[in-house]
Amino acid sequence: MSAPSSKPTVTEREARQVAEAAREQDWRKPSFAKELFLGRFRLDLIHPHPLPPAEDARRGEEFLAKLRVFCETRIDAARIEREARIPDEVIAGLKEIGALGMKIDTKYGGLGLTQVYYNKALALAGSACPAVGVLLSAHQSIGVPQPLKLFGTDEQKAEFLPRCARTDISAFLLTEPDVGSDPARLATSAVRDGDAYVLDGVKLWTTNGVIADLLVVMARVPKTEDGKGGITAFVVETDSPGITVENRNAFMGLRGIENGVTRFHQVRVPAANRIGPEGAGLKIALTTLNTGRLSLPASCVAAGKWCLKIAREWSAAREQWGRPIAEHEAVGKKISFIAATTFALEAVLDLSSQMADEDRNDIRIEGALAKLFASEMGWLMADELVQIRGGRGFETAESLAARGEKAVPAEQVLRDLRINRIFEGSTEIMHLLIAREAVDAHLKVAGDLIDPDKSLQDKAKAGANAGVFYARWLPKLVAGSGQLPGTYGEFRHGIDLSRHLRYVERNARKLARSTFYAMSRWQGRMETKQGFLGRIVDIGAELFAMSAACVRAELLRTQGDHGREAYQLADAFCEQSRIRVEELFGRLWTNTDTVDRKVVKGVMGGAYTWLEEGIVDPSGDGPWIADTTPGPSKADNLHRPVN
């Protein structure tokens, strides 16, 4: 049986149609963030702050205590960084304490932790060594356990989940050397052959792939008389004949992760291992990521907490001009930013995670906003720590120790965090994904008006529907509770957080008005205005974070748990966030988007190649994208299972 020999050729419109078909089309549950983008501040959806049941909290805290001991006694982060590998005995120890099964139900041998405590565990493990956190996250957040939990059959769960809970490491394989965020061009094929499918293709950046026992593989099934075909998900045994790990990739950060290039050549996979129907693979992947993305904010929260600790200790010990550097405003502002932002990120993470656990809200936008906001702010916090540390921030921990100083790996944290702005949807892709969800209500009522393929009759019908919707919606954007001084008075305790919530309410309406104006102005060209859409999303992220910070501060106050300090941090974050929001609103209409497009056209047309003169390019030879023609592997198999 021969595999397809060429990559699918798709137009921009076809690519959008594939992505659109994979979206969850309906909103069956309320969404705080969706309402926020529509100008409706539904504080009742997040306040009072939801809390986990007492039994879930007890089990979660018990495991955190066990994991902390393991991290403190069994994980040598410096060794992992030095050797660029997590020792087998560490992985074996994680298996022993049940860390592979944190999210797997107890009836399958897992710990059955909630999303809240799973994220707390990832943060704890990631603080000890980010590569360990990634190992656990890739296995459970996007590897075999999560898609099987959501879409697997009872038989699949019974066969694979007990293995994933205790012994087997899993990985998720979607990306290809020439396919990133455009899955319509996916080239890996899965051809039906009796009671099996035959896989051919190459997958890139397979985190955990070098040591995995089980894989979730996305492959394209050809359409037949008996099957609809399309991108489909499979559980694949890594020791199947025809699978070769051809390379273990190395990166600027996260040096301990086992990330590789995996080739499939005539790999037979039982049809019983298909997850869901043919063609459902991309929808399965996107749905899995709705909560799977929350693992990245967990790592960013952990990094923020560590940055705050180091900034506090160093800024008290280091003196300049007769005073500790923390007392100098230039440094103090950085410390304030790290502290306030860490508080807000934890608020966003815990709120989103608890809503995921309760399953009464649709959190597809909240989870995406959490990933976007945390990855961007986490990077900024680490960068500020390096600046506070000065030359020592640029020096490696090993070098610091060699000359007798505390081995603080600030530069490593900066390197390790950088990938979060790319992992599981780059910042640019997250902007587009969230923007699409944010304007969903508009497209439902007025989408046909701007669709060039729709008939005049369809456009007329859409115009009538849009007229009814906007006649009801637009007047509500004029005034709201944010203009009443006494609103949200329960958030006024010494420090007045109610004013920040009123600010959120007013600016949610302003955000919705801005979006409507832009859609009216650009109509079908709106999707090309990526700079504008990115700023709209960033404003929404700030407003969501402000809301979460205030709600968390009030929760801590009612619990008597650092309530006064929490109010101070929430107030500081909201003040800082408001400045960013005002700047973003200003840049919606006053920006360099037009001139930037002209410059890009000139760059790509070769108009500025003279500007590149006077350098030597140290890059090596080779194609920009490696050849991935299907066929048998010519490389040694680097697969290294950990028993």
Side-chain angles (χ1 to χ4, degrees):
M1 178 178 294
S2 61
S5 59
S6 61
K7 292 183 179 296
T9 301
V10 295
T11 65
E12 181 180 356
R13 182 171 181 80
E14 289 170 337
R16 287 200 304 271
Q17 289 173 340
V18 169
E20 186 66 19
R23 280 186 61 250
E24 193 172 348
Q25 302 293 324
D26 299 321
W27 295 85
R28 300 182 182 88
K29 300 172 186 175
S31 165
F32 173 81
K34 175 177 177 285
E35 294 294 305
L36 195 69
F37 280 107
L38 285 170
R40 300 190 284 249
F41 182 47
R42 290 288 307 278
L43 185 62
D44 61 294
L45 293 178
I46 61 173
H47 173 69
H49 193 296
L51 291 171
E55 176 58 21
D56 288 342
R58 183 192 64 78
R59 289 190 298 108
E61 293 294 340
E62 283 183 358
F63 179 72
L64 288 180
K66 182 185 298 185
L67 180 61
R68 174 174 288 278
V69 172
F70 181 88
C71 290
E72 292 175 342
T73 60
R74 303 278 295 277
I75 296 178
D76 184 345
R79 176 188 173 188
I80 293 172
E81 176 70 5
R82 185 171 59 252
E83 298 179 357
R85 175 163 291 170
I86 301 173
D88 288 0
E89 59 267 26
V90 172
I91 298 176
L94 291 169
K95 294 179 180 182
E96 291 170 8
I97 65 173
L100 295 189
M102 288 187 285
K103 286 196 72 178
I104 298 175
D105 195 287
T106 54
K107 69 179 180 180
Y108 298 112
L111 299 181
L113 298 187
T114 63
Q115 186 72 37
V116 169
Y117 277 96
Y118 170 66
N119 284 334
K120 289 181 183 295
L122 288 181
L124 180 59
S127 68
C129 175
V132 172
V134 170
L135 166 73
L136 296 173
S137 172
H139 165 66
Q140 293 170 86
S141 297
I142 57 176
V144 171
Q146 187 67 9
L148 282 193
K149 175 183 177 181
L150 296 174
F151 299 99
T153 65
D154 290 341
E155 292 77 15
Q156 289 172 337
K157 293 175 183 178
E159 180 176 358
F160 296 116
L161 291 184
R163 293 168 56 183
C164 290
R166 291 291 175 181
T167 58
D168 288 16
I169 295 171
S170 68
F172 174 78
L173 280 63
L174 172 62
T175 304
E176 298 177 0
D178 198 27
V179 179
S181 299
D182 183 10
R185 298 174 58 248
L186 197 77
T188 297
S189 64
V191 180
R192 188 68 184 253
D193 182 24
D195 61 354
Y197 289 83
V198 179
L199 269 62
D200 283 274
V202 178
K203 294 295 186 179
L204 177 63
W205 296 325
T206 59
T207 301
N208 287 358
V210 179
I211 60 174
D213 305 286
L214 292 170
L215 311 171
V216 176
V217 181
M218 297 292 168
R220 182 181 299 279
V221 176
K223 185 177 181 179
T224 64
E225 292 182 359
D226 300 325
K228 62 176 293 187
I231 298 173
T232 306
F234 300 90
V235 178
V236 181
E237 301 273 2
T238 316
D239 60 1
S240 302
I243 297 180
T244 305
V245 177
E246 295 188 329
N247 191 63
R248 182 179 186 266
N249 303 322
F251 304 97
M252 67 181 285
L254 297 179
R255 291 177 175 171
I257 63 174
E258 300 285 351
N259 180 294
V261 177
T262 304
R263 177 179 290 270
F264 298 85
H265 175 61
Q266 298 287 287
V267 178
R268 294 189 66 83
V269 179
N273 285 22
R274 188 188 69 214
I275 309 174
E278 289 184 1
L282 192 54
K283 179 169 288 189
I284 289 171
L286 293 179
T287 304
T288 297
L289 285 172
N290 282 341
T291 53
R293 285 195 180 97
L294 291 175
S295 62
L296 291 184
S299 69
C300 295
V301 168
K305 289 174 179 285
W306 183 82
C307 288
L308 180 60
K309 179 179 184 293
I310 297 302
R312 173 179 57 80
E313 294 175 350
W314 168 246
S315 298
R318 174 65 163 166
E319 291 189 0
Q320 286 280 58
W321 300 301
R323 289 189 294 169
I325 60 172
E327 296 181 15
H328 295 286
E329 190 173 90
V331 174
K333 289 182 69 66
K334 299 180 186 300
I335 296 173
S336 174
F337 167 74
I338 294 173
T341 304
T342 298
F343 177 82
L345 292 190
E346 188 167 39
V348 166
L349 174 64
D350 282 4
L351 179 62
S352 300
S353 299
Q354 186 58 41
M355 288 195 294
D357 284 330
E358 293 186 348
D359 199 29
R360 59 184 172 89
N361 288 350
D362 187 320
I363 68 154
R364 74 181 87 161
I365 299 182
E366 286 84 349
L369 286 174
K371 188 274 178 188
L372 168 70
F373 192 66
S375 60
E376 290 294 321
M377 302 305 272
W379 165 258
L380 290 176
M381 287 191 293
D383 187 55
E384 293 287 40
L385 175 66
V386 168
Q387 194 70 17
I388 290 171
R389 287 277 288 162
R392 290 173 174 84
F394 192 65
E395 191 173 359
T396 67
E398 187 176 31
S399 177
L400 288 165
R403 59 182 185 80
E405 291 195 1
K406 188 177 180 68
V408 178
E411 59 82 31
Q412 180 191 336
V413 169
L414 190 66
R415 288 188 287 102
D416 288 343
L417 280 174
R418 185 58 182 84
I419 188 59
N420 286 347
R421 299 174 63 203
I422 301 171
F423 260 169
E424 297 181 19
S426 69
T427 291
E428 293 72 26
I429 293 300
M430 297 306 297
H431 277 152
L432 298 181
L433 183 152
I434 297 167
R436 171 61 187 87
E437 299 295 352
V439 301
D440 186 53
H442 300 285
L443 293 179
K444 274 184 165 60
V445 299
D448 287 355
L449 284 172
I450 59 177
D451 189 336
D453 293 338
K454 294 297 181 181
S455 66
L456 290 177
Q457 183 178 0
D458 289 335
K459 290 180 182 293
K461 182 179 179 181
N465 291 336
V468 173
F469 174 80
Y470 290 118
R472 295 175 179 174
W473 179 68
L474 285 171
K476 296 178 182 179
L477 301 182
V478 176
S481 56
Q483 293 167 288
L484 304 176
T487 312
Y488 315 120
E490 67 268 32
F491 289 85
R492 190 184 297 117
H493 297 278
I495 294 173
D496 185 7
L497 296 183
S498 68
R499 64 191 181 93
H500 297 309
L501 293 175
R502 290 194 295 273
Y503 178 88
V504 172
E505 194 279 334
R506 294 194 305 272
N507 282 278
R509 287 186 282 111
K510 182 178 179 180
L511 182 63
R513 292 195 301 268
S514 300
T515 304
F516 173 75
Y517 174 70
M519 292 185 68
S520 303
R521 176 179 176 181
W522 291 314
Q523 298 184 31
R525 292 181 295 131
M526 179 79 161
E527 65 183 22
T528 68
K529 304 297 182 180
Q530 295 179 1
F532 178 90
L533 293 173
R535 295 176 199 113
I536 286 288
V537 169
D538 286 341
I539 292 170
E542 295 281 0
L543 298 180
F544 176 41
M546 290 174 68
S547 305
C550 291
V551 168
R552 182 176 181 82
E554 176 59 11
L555 170 67
L556 296 179
R557 186 197 67 81
T558 58
Q559 292 180 331
D561 191 8
H562 308 294
R564 180 172 176 272
E565 294 80 9
Y567 258 63
Q568 291 173 341
L569 289 169
D571 184 48
F573 174 78
C574 289
E575 291 286 4
Q576 296 167 9
S577 181
R578 287 168 76 147
I579 293 173
R580 295 190 292 266
V581 168
E582 295 302 320
E583 180 185 355
L584 286 164
F585 268 122
R587 288 171 53 209
L588 286 179
W589 313 111
T590 305
N591 52 63
T592 63
D593 292 352
T594 300
V595 70
D596 290 342
R597 284 193 291 272
K598 292 179 180 178
V599 171
V600 169
K601 186 176 181 180
V603 169
M604 301 312 295
Y608 310 131
T609 53
W610 52 268
L611 192 59
E612 301 166 10
E613 296 173 1
I615 63 166
V616 173
D617 183 356
S619 305
D621 296 329
W624 285 104
I625 299 171
D627 179 36
T628 56
T629 303
S633 179
K634 300 176 183 178
D636 293 334
N637 189 2
L638 302 181
H639 181 231
R640 184 179 63 83
V642 181
N643 298 318

